[in-house]
Amino acid sequence: MQSQDVAPRPASSSPAEPVVDVEQAEAALVEHYPRLVRLAYLVLPPGLGRGRRALTAHALAQRALPRGRTAAPAIPAQVQTDGGAGTGDPGYAFVRLRVLCTALEAGLPLTFRAWPRRAQLPAPLPQVWGLKLFPRSGGADELALDQRLSALSAPARAAYVLRGLERLADPDVLRVLEAAGVDDPQDALAEADEVPARYALLESPEFDACSLQARPTDLMRRRQHLKAALAATAAVAVCGALLGLPGDGWGRDGAAAPPYARNPSAEAALDPGKLLKVAPAAWQSSTRTDFSVWPARGELTGDRALLRRALAVWARPSERVHVSVTPGTPSGGPPGPPQLLYAGDLANARVVILYDGLRIARYAEPKDGTAGAAIDFARVDGASHAEASAVVLDRADGNVRYLTAPWVTKAAERDLMKPGSGATELTVTDGITSPLASPATRSGACTSWNVLELSGREGIRVATDLGELVPARLTTGRPGSDHDASGAQALRTWAPYACSLVDMRGHGVRTVNAWSYATQSLPEAGGSAEWMCTRAETWRGGGPRVLAQFRTPGGAYGAVVAKAENTAACGARDPHVLAGVLWKSTAGSWYLLAAGSRDVVSVRTTGGVEGPAEANLLAVEAEQGVQAGLRGVLADGRVISGLR
């Protein structure tokens, strides 16, 4: 397809079209600001670079307000096919059209025959000095979609985004493109058809310009420029002032070298010849059984050029490198020579995995060059024998491959939602498993949840891919007495609640425990319901996530009735929980049900519902939609609140 020039030409208003005043447009802009920024980021030309694209997207969204007191939308507000953001809101349709127009203008080439439009010039605001800001990196699927979109013309990208992000029908897409000044909207729509319709990926953090990561700019170049400016203006005075500081030190840091200065420790950390390589049998005699006793594996452990690139990118990733960091993980360079865990070829990439005692770092680059290189970081300090059993090597086509610990003797794949089905054995070659289906990047209905089973001399461990470098260990049981989810009963416990793991993805999760804390007889002889608490612990210690779930008799899945973050409930420090739900009987009556863990001796409601409780269980008639709070008393007299 040939690229198309665009010249925005908003249509004049007519009596039939709603008039949008500034206040209405501003309300729509504030309410849908993240979505408008995401739309602008996706339509802007990828050649701007991820950092400039993000700032330009914010600038275009902030300029979308009309200058006068009133304005009319170029076209009537469209209705999204599934009731998406701004459905039927003329204010939102107006600001969306203005954002789209300026994003298309930004992609036009500069010429000497005409003055540049405002959108074609670098935005004066917002500006960030001394930092590079860019969205979080996604997975291989998001990277592939970004590359496909970058090959489209700007109008075709706009058509794809209006279809996928805004969920507009094709006739509405054509009307919006025409209002935005696209010369041939039908041609743009046809060009957009060349990209697979993976619209769910447009909601990924890869394209979220409102959730940004910060990195330093090129510090060495910035330092050189500063030196040149100082030398040109007041070199003698400045140098004299620095040299004349009192004391023997260099300022408030004492004898410490300036940041990024050349010193033996910094140079050793980037020297591939000083990488630590553990002997293959070291783990058999070591008292430690974590990543520190993993041997170096892979056919490229002697490729000094590859290892040098991996170390250099770890210390100073450029703007062209995709960087992914789990929450709470520092991304700076290693403090000393790290340990090499793997270096080898995988499909179309070369992969290096390093460990510095605190973090796992995975560097990947294409076999045909370094364009598109990526580095991922995950915090793994204090990993136990069970938690240091596997690391993600790569993800491709919905599958994942792992590098396993040297003590792993067997690996298998199992569907957690089908406890009765057997596990499928995986081939393990030099510690590398054959590919297995990953639920980490899957979208749509949850019909299966594949997990990894690892066998060794200490038993069977079960772990799941949650989109990070280290799979999360799955356990069951009362907090403090939990155990691996490897037996038949543990697998049956997890089966109805496997899909709730989707809420834990990308959160830096270390372990997830499922605890069946109560069983309740339902009113009107409705059978026996199960109450389950799932708690995700993180590598950073803070930010645990807790879900209370309720499953009716015969139900295939549990329903999440309460969730909380940064709470001690349902954990080893506070193994208590209380949650409630409004339940409708088969006869049509509504009840407020509540259940606490076995240490809860009484439960009462606060709000518009009252009724007697039996120890840790409560079931009282209620009205549909009623709001009520819960209070429970423990055996020691302590009062706890309902999880929410």
Side-chain angles (χ1 to χ4, degrees):
M1 297 290 179
Q2 298 295 322
S3 62
Q4 305 173 49
D5 290 338
V6 291
R9 45 176 184 271
S12 59
S13 60
S14 66
E17 295 174 347
V19 173
V20 178
D21 58 28
V22 174
E23 288 76 17
Q24 186 178 359
E26 182 182 21
L29 177 61
V30 172
E31 181 182 359
H32 303 291
Y33 183 82
R35 196 172 194 88
L36 292 168
V37 171
R38 186 186 291 264
L39 183 147
Y41 181 86
L42 286 163
V43 176
L44 283 168
L48 293 176
R50 301 175 71 211
R52 185 177 167 192
R53 271 173 79 189
L55 292 178
T56 303
H58 281 275
L60 299 185
Q62 293 170 17
R63 294 179 195 163
L65 282 180
R67 294 188 180 182
R69 298 301 300 171
T70 60
I75 53 176
Q78 293 78 36
V79 177
Q80 283 87 336
T81 56
D82 59 350
T87 300
D89 180 5
Y92 177 71
F94 177 78
V95 293
R96 179 181 63 195
L97 179 61
R98 289 178 64 96
V99 169
L100 186 63
C101 288
T102 51
L104 291 171
E105 282 183 356
L108 294 176
L110 292 171
T111 64
F112 293 102
R113 299 181 179 179
W115 287 100
R117 296 188 174 102
R118 184 182 181 188
Q120 295 174 271
L121 301 174
L125 290 174
Q127 286 287 347
V128 178
W129 295 92
L131 287 176
K132 295 183 292 186
L133 299 179
F134 47 89
R136 291 179 60 125
S137 298
D141 293 337
E142 288 89 345
L143 177 59
L145 177 60
D146 194 32
Q147 291 173 341
R148 295 294 299 271
L149 291 177
S150 66
L152 297 179
S153 65
R157 277 197 306 274
Y160 189 92
V161 173
L162 289 172
R163 272 178 172 172
L165 186 65
E166 293 300 290
R167 299 187 285 279
L168 297 183
D170 282 0
D172 288 331
V173 172
L174 292 174
R175 283 194 288 271
V176 173
L177 291 177
E178 183 178 5
V182 175
D183 290 335
D184 193 344
Q186 193 66 51
D187 192 34
L189 206 60
E191 186 182 354
D193 288 335
E194 298 175 4
V195 178
R198 308 195 66 182
Y199 298 138
L201 296 178
L202 297 178
E203 302 281 356
S204 165
E206 170 81 15
F207 308 113
D208 184 6
C210 286
S211 179
L212 302 175
Q213 297 186 99
R215 294 292 180 275
T217 56
D218 190 331
L219 298 178
M220 294 302 294
R221 180 178 297 176
R222 196 169 76 189
R223 185 177 175 190
Q224 291 168 357
H225 289 174
L226 179 60
K227 284 183 176 180
L230 292 175
T233 55
V236 175
V238 172
C239 290
L242 291 175
L243 293 174
L245 287 172
D248 296 330
W250 289 11
R252 64 180 181 181
D253 291 332
Y260 287 84
R262 295 176 63 88
N263 61 70
S265 296
E267 292 178 351
L270 302 180
D271 184 354
K274 291 189 166 113
L275 283 172
L276 303 179
K277 297 180 182 178
V278 175
W283 66 275
Q284 298 177 5
S285 57
S286 174
T287 57
R288 298 184 61 171
T289 51
D290 56 14
F291 293 107
S292 66
V293 294
W294 278 35
R297 286 170 285 183
E299 67 275 19
L300 298 180
T301 54
D303 189 337
R304 292 175 64 91
L306 171 64
L307 299 177
R308 186 181 300 279
R309 290 194 297 273
L311 290 168
V313 169
W314 184 348
R316 303 183 305 277
S318 70
E319 191 177 34
R320 299 187 301 274
V321 175
H322 287 264
V323 180
S324 173
V325 183
T326 59
T329 303
S331 60
Q339 178 184 341
L340 178 62
L341 303 186
Y342 177 84
D345 286 323
L346 290 175
N348 297 318
R350 289 184 288 265
V351 175
V352 177
I353 298 182
L354 302 163
Y355 170 65
D356 70 349
L358 172 67
R359 301 161 294 175
I360 293 285
R362 182 185 62 186
Y363 170 78
E365 67 179 25
K367 286 185 177 180
D368 56 357
T370 59
I375 189 163
D376 307 311
F377 297 97
R379 185 171 173 174
V380 293
D381 51 314
S384 66
H385 178 277
E387 295 156 351
S389 294
V391 170
V392 171
L393 266 184
D394 75 331
R395 296 185 184 89
D397 302 323
N399 296 321
V400 60
R401 279 191 290 184
Y402 294 95
L403 178 67
T404 61
W407 52 82
V408 171
T409 58
K410 180 182 176 183
E413 174 184 13
R414 174 187 292 277
D415 187 350
L416 194 59
M417 298 178 68
K418 298 175 182 177
S421 61
T424 303
E425 187 170 351
L426 299 171
T427 302
V428 181
T429 306
D430 193 23
I432 302 174
T433 69
S434 53
L436 65 151
S438 169
T441 58
R442 183 182 58 199
S443 58
C446 178
T447 57
S448 64
W449 194 280
N450 292 74
V451 295
L452 176 69
E453 277 192 357
L454 298 173
S455 302
R457 61 187 183 186
E458 295 194 10
I460 300 176
R461 315 288 188 188
V462 177
T464 182
D465 182 16
L466 294 180
E468 294 165 338
L469 278 182
V470 181
R473 178 188 177 195
L474 299 183
T475 61
T476 60
R478 181 178 175 82
S481 304
D482 50 298
H483 52 84
D484 285 285
S486 53
Q489 180 58 44
L491 292 172
R492 286 194 294 270
T493 298
W494 258 112
Y497 308 99
C499 289
S500 66
L501 288 167
V502 72
D503 197 59
M504 316 296 187
R505 293 189 299 194
H507 194 60
V509 173
R510 184 174 190 164
T511 61
V512 187
N513 183 58
W515 173 32
S516 180
Y517 69 88
T519 301
Q520 183 174 23
S521 297
L522 298 177
E524 301 181 16
S528 183
E530 180 183 37
W531 290 86
M532 177 70 67
C533 185
T534 52
R535 179 182 174 93
E537 301 288 356
T538 66
W539 286 100
R540 63 190 182 277
R545 288 190 175 181
V546 178
L547 303 179
Q549 301 185 66
F550 176 77
R551 185 167 70 97
T552 54
Y557 307 104
V560 176
V561 298
K563 63 173 62 177
E565 193 166 332
N566 290 312
T567 178
C570 198
R573 292 185 59 184
D574 189 15
H576 314 290
V577 65
L578 173 64
V581 66
L582 280 173
W583 174 76
K584 184 180 181 181
S585 69
T586 55
S589 301
W590 285 90
Y591 292 86
L592 173 64
L593 306 179
S597 50
R598 65 187 183 190
D599 292 334
V600 176
V601 296
S602 68
V603 179
R604 65 182 180 87
T605 61
T606 61
V609 180
E610 293 184 0
E614 298 179 8
N616 64 328
L617 302 175
L618 173 76
V620 295
E621 288 194 57
E623 297 293 330
Q624 180 181 1
V626 69
Q627 299 290 323
L630 294 173
R631 287 286 186 272
V633 180
L634 300 178
D636 61 4
R638 185 161 63 94
V639 177
I640 63 173
S641 301
L643 196 71
R644 58 191 319 162

